[in-house]
């Protein structure tokens, strides 16, 4: 089924940039509902470390695609886009404004522009690459990926064996980097009228916000949350490899003490934020970029309302990034 032509709003940006708070406020002012685009918040039980909004923060705002997948259940960009399309249709049928909020760049691209056509996995090649991961470790293959496909490598963590193997597999199959294929696809027209806003912060401001958020997560019981999750789900579950959870698992395994764990979370969070910043700064079709320390919510609301009041004028906008 093709997506409806009614417009949507996307609130994207780096971790700790203020996406959720802005999206909630816009939903209150515009009569909207939130649709998550976060590859950790989607998992049930992974609450504190993913910075899921609380019921108190949401108030009366409905929030979709949060707590909808078990931690050992696979979900990729294609499945996410299908689920998000269904949620968007339901929100629009209620006469509300869909506001998609999150920082998982590939999921957002899949939703806004669809998925790039890629070859199916080749069993022999996949097995050979997985053998090399087992033999040499994922970081070694990530080094190779960085040489042949720096664009994809910059968006993949060195320990994310699954995505490293897939990117190398596509390069071997097609002779072209996955990052290049995705970038070309991103230049295509949006599937529906979309106001895509990206938040960013000054590096030092962001670093301070990340430190404060890390301390707040630890105060709210992140270590206890992970300890309980490990009793329910296998530690091989992909969600345990995400920033914050990976470092706590290592702490519980005796790899580092509490203070070293905190520093490891902060370092990993900043590296992740840097990758997100690179992604969203180069993402074609971003309608506007805002620093919430400089631009008011009122000004952002005016921009969004102007788009919503004339969606047809925006459906055919150039996908070239703004200056």
């Amino acid at each position: 089924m093709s997506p409806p032509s009614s417009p949507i709003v996307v609130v994207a940006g780096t971790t700790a940039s203020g996406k959720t708070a802005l999206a909630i406020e816009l939903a209150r002012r515009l009569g909207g509902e939130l649709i998550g685009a976060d590859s950790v918040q989607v998992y049930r039980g992974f609450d504190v470390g993913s910075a899921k909004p609380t019921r108190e923060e949401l108030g009366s705002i409905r929030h979709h695609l949060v707590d909808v997948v078990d931690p050992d259940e696979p979900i990729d960009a294609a499945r996410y886009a299908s689920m998000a399309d269904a949620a968007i249709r339901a929100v629009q049928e209620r006469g509300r404004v869909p506001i998609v909020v999150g920082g998982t760049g590939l999921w957002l691209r899949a939703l806004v522009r669809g998925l790039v056509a890629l070859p199916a996995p080749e069993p022999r090649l996949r097995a050979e690459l997985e053998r090399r991961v087992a033999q040499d470790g994922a970081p070694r293959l990530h080094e190779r990926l960085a040489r042949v496909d720096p664009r994809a490598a910059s968006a993949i963590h060195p320990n994310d064996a699954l995505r490293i193997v897939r990117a190398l597999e596509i390069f071997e199959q097609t002779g072209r980097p996955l990052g290049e294929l995705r970038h070309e696809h991103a230049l295509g027209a949006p599937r529906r009228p979309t106001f895509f806003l990206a938040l960013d912060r000054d590096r030092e401001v962001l670093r301070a916000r990340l430190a404060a958020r890390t301390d707040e997560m630890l105060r709210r019981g992140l270590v206890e949350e992970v300890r309980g999750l490990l009793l329910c789900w296998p530690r091989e579950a992909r969600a345990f490899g995400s920033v914050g959870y990976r470092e706590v698992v290592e702490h519980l395994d005796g790899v580092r003490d509490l203070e070293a764990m905190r520093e490891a979370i902060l370092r990993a969070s900043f590296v992740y934020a840097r990758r997100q910043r690179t992604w969203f700064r180069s993402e074609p079709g971003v309608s506007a970029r805002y620093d919430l320390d400089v631009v008011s919510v009122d000004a952002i609301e005016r921009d969004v309302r102007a788009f919503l009041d004339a969606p047809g004028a925006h459906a055919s906008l150039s996908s070239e990034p703004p200056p």
Side-chain angles (χ1 to χ4, degrees), residues 175-186:
R176 298 187 65 196
L178 173 61
E180 180 180 297
L181 294 170
R182 283 178 171 161
H183 181 71
E184 290 177 358
H185 179 71

Side-chain angles (χ1 to χ4, degrees), residues 5 7 193 307-317:
S5 60
F307 165 80
L308 293 174
D309 288 343
H314 295 262
S316 60
L317 280 178

Side-chain angles (χ1 to χ4, degrees), residues 11 57 106 152 241 255 268:
V11 179
E57 289 170 329
L106 182 58
V255 174

Side-chain angles (χ1 to χ4, degrees), residues 63-74:
H63 200 180
H64 308 269
L65 299 195
V66 172
D67 288 329
V68 294
V69 174
D70 285 336
D72 61 348
E73 188 178 349

Side-chain angles (χ1 to χ4, degrees), residues 19-29 34 53 57-59 61:
K19 297 184 301 295
T20 300
L22 174 62
I24 290 172
E25 184 59 26
L26 288 176
R28 288 180 179 140
R29 297 185 183 198
L34 303 187
E57 289 170 329
L58 288 170
I61 305 300

Side-chain angles (χ1 to χ4, degrees), residues 229-230 233-241 249-250 252-253:
L229 288 168
L230 287 169
W233 305 103
R235 63 181 52 218
E236 295 78 20
R238 190 171 182 180
F240 284 122
V249 169
E250 291 172 348
L252 293 174
D253 286 343

